[in-house]
Amino acid sequence: MPNLFQNQLNVIVYNFVDALSHARTDVSLMRELAEDEAAYRSVVESWFKNSTLWEAMELMAEKKVKIVITTDHGSIRVKKPVKIIGDKNTNSNLRYKQGKNLTYEAKEVFEIKKPELAFLPKVNVSQSYVVCKEDDFFAYPNNYNYYVNYYTNTFQHGGISLEEMMIPFVVMESK
């Protein structure tokens, strides 16, 4: 840490909260530890107060520095499945799908039938995008109930909700 004070700009990436979010989905022990939003926030707070990031911030507080803390995306707790069918080349994200020949209920999604108008890549002529609304997530009809049970109440990102798109940041200066 002392070497960093010699630089005009340092960038340090901590992806713990994102990793925790994915672990909460994939690891049953984490599901139990962070069963709801309050428990999830408590786990994050506990990690932060005992992390090397906290130690680094305490060291920086003793110097004349400016710190900017931000993230690359937010997340949302998903609750409602939306059925979708796609071919083997359709991406795996739960909050948006891109591909050709996607089958879904149009009223349940935000459709982008002409990707170029939304400044999105168009890989083939029939390329389209669909994005979940609110706290929905995509589930395929095969093994539908398994995926609904597995992903309901997990934190996901990739959609267009305010929670996912707003990039929070804070600027702090030592006194």
Side-chain angles (χ1 to χ4, degrees), residues 67-137:
I67 302 172
V68 178
I69 298 178
T70 189
T71 182
D72 61 340
H73 60 76
S75 63
I76 188 167
R77 187 171 64 160
V78 296
K79 299 176 185 170
K80 186 178 145 234
V82 171
K83 285 186 182 179
I84 190 163
I85 299 171
D87 64 22
K88 64 179 181 172
N89 295 319
T90 303
N91 66 306
S92 62
N93 191 287
L94 295 177
R95 296 280 293 154
Y96 80 94
K97 297 292 179 188
Q98 68 179 45
K100 57 183 181 176
N101 303 320
L102 298 173
T103 304
Y104 50 86
E105 277 294 323
K107 66 182 178 192
E108 294 183 313
V109 301
F110 179 80
E111 294 178 296
I112 304 171
K113 290 187 176 185
K114 295 183 178 180
E116 64 278 8
L117 296 178
F119 304 102
L120 294 169
K122 186 172 184 175
V123 178
N124 56 57
V125 176
S126 58
Q127 177 84 27
S128 65
Y129 291 77
V130 290
V131 183
C132 283
K133 298 177 183 177
E134 300 161 0
D135 56 5
D136 298 348
F137 65 96

Side-chain angles (χ1 to χ4, degrees), residues 44-69:
V44 171
E45 180 183 17
S46 177
W47 165 79
F48 179 64
K49 288 180 177 176
N50 295 287
S51 71
T52 56
L53 176 59
W54 179 259
E55 290 175 28
M57 290 180 72
E58 285 182 320
L59 283 172
M60 288 184 275
E62 297 170 4
K63 306 283 185 185
K64 185 168 175 47
V65 298
K66 184 183 286 188
I67 302 172
V68 178
I69 298 178

